Amino acid sequence: MPKKYILSLDQGTTSTRAIVFDENGIPVRTAQREFRQIYPRPSYVEHDPKDILATSLEVMREASEGFDIAAVGIANQRETVIVWDKNSGEPVYNAIVWQCRRTADKCNRLKEEGYEDLLYERTGLSADAYFSATKLEWILENVEGAKERARRGELLFGTVDSFLLWNLTGGKTHATDYSNASRTMLFNIHKRCWDDDLLKIFGVPEAMLPKVCSSAHPFGTIAGGLPCEGVPIAAVAGDQQAALFGQRCFKRGQVKNTYGTGCFLLMNTGDKPTDSRRGLITTLAASIDDKPDYVLEGSVFVAGALVQWLRDELGIISSSAESESLALSVPDTAGTFIVPAFVGLGAPYWDSEARGTICGLTRGAGRAHIVRAALESIAYQVFDLVHAMERDLGEDISGISVDGGASENNFLMRFQADILGKKVLRPAVTENTALGAAYLAGLSSGVFADLNSLGKEAKIEVFAPSMQEQRRMELIEGWKKAVLRARYK
């Protein structure tokens, strides 16, 4: 019988890629395009929705050529907000990206007015500009005529998945999945529906909102004239929940960390939510039915984006791959620490006022030390998340599964194992966000029979800690001091 192929559209923060997987979950072709990052003001981050759509169509066309695609799955950057005209499809404003901090003051007011407990109780989220609700409110308040048009039912809201679904289906599908809806700060994760009280708080008309479905769901077919015309879109999931699924973390207690633009540590906590007292959030997992598991998550805002900054803004590396050889060319950072709080600090600090800091510089510190410190800062931030998660759970985490572009950096993975004092498990396929979307689409479309049929042959590389405990604690103490300096006001 002919092989069946699944196309995953992985729409990320700085690039869009399409990966074709065969029926064994093996990637056979990849296409990728970076797209423009827009910074209108300090701490403002935007994308042009037309760039997102254009790069999506380009990579779908390039990757799918010559393959008989059975289904398409979509994984997307989460929390990013797009509002568009219901009839023309024209966006009313640029996409406001999850990294954008323009609504930080609004979130501080929500806390001062006593809404933080309500928001956490209903949504599992902190009152932070990271999430979608205040971004959507900003568009309705600041784009001329948007609020009235939304009330008249002329505008649609969605995270990036909804915008892509609407365009790929020719305007026939306005939907999202539980994993994306749970990131908006408008969705009740316990009742699994849009929350009327929260819609009133943020002034969002319900008519704007997409229908919420399970992640593995028949979302419609791709419209005529587009790449993969007539192929069913069989799955949608937020990128980090897709990666959790791709890592096959189907059971309570399983943990993964994705090294992308940011870092995202997720633990499956089963059918019961876990409250956090240490800055973590509770959200919904990608699901194959209407009863998704709960997830405990910690988010780092700047990880791989820091390496991109070294390349694009500082110009001290020519490619991300060069960072590994430079880091290995020196024995340590010469006492240098970088805290990449370009847009504040995420979990467990949730400090929107913190800013990026390089400290510990001496005359002997050079280019290689700066690069090494940048990579080490990613590992330190993940340490903070793991430590917070262990304290919330009251139990140790034995190790973490990893994926994402920066997980291919062997120096970073060895240092991560050392600074955690735990095993780091890296699968042969590190593009687990795309793989998770493929698994979900394959289950929905019948390419895969069940969960037990996924990833049986997966190979795992293990990075075991080897650093002496005294040295590990010295470095962690240095990191903590650096974070205090970044938070100094």
Side-chain angles (χ1 to χ4, degrees):
M1 293 180 64
K3 280 190 173 184
K4 296 179 180 179
Y5 297 93
I6 300 168
L7 184 140
S8 276
L9 178 61
D10 180 5
Q11 203 299 301
T13 308
T14 58
S15 70
T16 306
R17 80 189 78 191
I19 303 179
V20 174
F21 292 90
D22 68 15
E23 56 199 3
N24 296 312
I26 304 300
V28 294
R29 184 183 291 163
T30 300
Q32 182 170 346
R33 298 283 189 282
E34 290 191 0
F35 58 91
R36 185 167 53 118
Q37 307 295 299
I38 302 170
Y39 306 105
R41 292 172 55 182
S43 79
Y44 279 41
V45 189
E46 298 178 359
H47 294 155
D48 185 337
K50 293 181 180 179
D51 289 345
I52 291 174
L53 179 59
T55 54
S56 297
L57 295 175
E58 287 172 15
V59 296
M60 287 175 67
R61 182 175 290 109
E62 182 179 334
S64 65
E65 187 175 357
F67 290 103
D68 185 11
I69 304 297
V72 170
I74 298 174
N76 59 284
Q77 54 167 311
R78 304 171 303 170
E79 299 94 19
T80 295
V81 167
I82 304 176
V83 176
W84 67 96
D85 186 280
K86 184 177 182 178
N87 297 309
S88 69
E90 191 71 20
V92 303
Y93 189 79
N94 278 340
I96 301 182
V97 180
W98 59 271
Q99 297 167 312
C100 186
R101 307 304 297 173
R102 75 184 66 195
T103 60
D105 287 344
K106 167 67 178 183
C107 292
N108 289 335
R109 289 197 298 275
L110 288 169
K111 294 174 185 177
E112 291 167 2
E113 293 166 10
Y115 284 108
E116 188 164 31
D117 288 345
L118 172 68
L119 290 169
Y120 187 79
E121 176 188 325
R122 302 281 178 91
T123 71
L125 308 178
S126 304
D128 192 84
Y130 176 27
F131 305 109
S132 306
T134 56
K135 304 178 197 302
L136 173 55
E137 181 186 41
W138 189 95
I139 290 176
L140 295 178
E141 294 287 346
N142 288 276
V143 175
E144 186 176 356
K147 181 176 283 189
E148 287 305 315
R149 292 176 66 192
R151 287 174 178 164
R152 293 196 299 266
E154 297 174 8
L155 301 181
L156 299 178
F157 152 74
T159 42
V160 170
D161 59 306
S162 295
F163 180 71
L164 289 172
L165 276 173
W166 194 88
N167 280 280
L168 290 173
T169 61
K172 292 182 179 179
T173 298
H174 184 218
T176 188
D177 84 310
Y178 290 117
S179 69
N180 278 294
S182 68
R183 312 298 296 192
T184 60
M185 214 154 64
L186 298 169
F187 192 77
N188 189 312
I189 62 172
H190 308 287
K191 296 180 179 180
R192 296 193 296 277
C193 64
W194 299 113
D195 190 286
D196 290 339
D197 292 333
L198 299 181
L199 297 183
K200 290 176 183 176
I201 289 170
F202 294 105
V204 176
E206 190 170 2
M208 297 184 75
L209 303 175
K211 178 183 177 181
V212 185
C213 308
S214 62
S215 306
H217 180 83
F219 286 95
T221 57
I222 295 180
L226 299 180
C228 303
E229 175 181 347
V231 174
I233 301 174
V236 161
D239 52 9
Q240 302 314 316
Q241 288 97 327
L244 188 72
F245 200 88
Q247 289 275 22
R248 302 180 303 286
C249 295
F250 307 136
K251 297 179 181 178
R252 186 187 184 281
Q254 293 180 310
V255 183
K256 75 87 198 173
N257 187 61
T258 295
Y259 298 81
T261 300
C263 264
F264 303 91
L265 186 82
L266 277 69
M267 172 186 279
N268 186 327
T269 62
D271 60 1
K272 292 182 175 60
T274 298
D275 290 339
S276 174
R277 297 182 179 181
R278 293 170 179 85
L280 305 181
I281 60 175
T282 303
T283 193
L284 293 176
S287 60
I288 57 175
D289 55 34
D290 287 327
K291 293 183 179 179
D293 282 341
Y294 290 93
V295 171
L296 192 62
E297 175 176 338
S299 303
V300 167
F301 294 155
V302 177
L306 179 59
V307 179
Q308 194 176 47
W309 176 74
L310 296 177
R311 183 194 68 187
D312 296 343
E313 271 68 47
L314 293 192
I316 62 175
I317 58 172
S318 58
S319 67
S320 298
E322 188 184 4
S323 64
E324 181 173 356
S325 59
L326 274 170
L328 288 169
S329 71
V330 290
D332 52 38
T333 67
T336 303
F337 288 86
I338 297 179
V339 182
F342 297 156
V343 289
L345 287 169
Y349 307 103
W350 294 111
D351 185 347
S352 62
E353 301 300 320
R355 284 297 175 265
T357 305
I358 302 177
C359 56
L361 285 173
T362 61
R363 182 63 182 83
R367 172 180 170 228
H369 299 98
I370 296 293
V371 172
R372 181 169 177 136
L375 293 178
E376 289 188 0
S377 77
I378 298 171
Y380 289 126
Q381 291 178 96
V382 174
F383 166 83
D384 285 340
L385 299 182
V386 172
H387 186 58
M389 193 170 283
E390 287 180 324
R391 293 174 69 197
D392 272 337
L393 295 168
E395 57 188 73
D396 288 341
I397 294 169
S398 59
I400 62 171
S401 298
V402 300
D403 56 61
S407 70
E408 297 178 12
N409 187 306
N410 291 324
F411 166 79
L412 175 57
M413 293 302 97
R414 291 190 190 98
F415 188 78
Q416 184 70 84
D418 283 340
I419 215 66
L420 286 175
K422 305 177 189 299
K423 290 181 179 179
V424 169
L425 312 175
R426 183 177 68 186
V429 176
T430 57
E431 295 297 346
N432 278 278
T433 295
L435 181 60
Y439 280 163
L440 289 161
L443 290 165
S444 176
S445 62
V447 174
F448 302 123
D450 53 35
L451 294 178
N452 293 327
S453 66
L454 304 179
K456 285 185 176 181
E457 305 297 323
K459 295 180 180 179
I460 304 293
E461 185 173 3
V462 179
F463 295 86
S466 60
M467 183 180 288
Q468 291 184 354
E469 183 65 10
Q470 181 179 346
R471 178 59 176 161
R472 186 173 82 92
M473 296 311 298
E474 287 173 356
L475 290 173
I476 290 170
E477 187 61 29
W479 165 252
K480 289 179 179 178
K481 290 178 180 177
V483 170
L484 285 175
R485 288 174 171 85
R487 302 183 72 187
Y488 178 77
K489 298 174 184 178

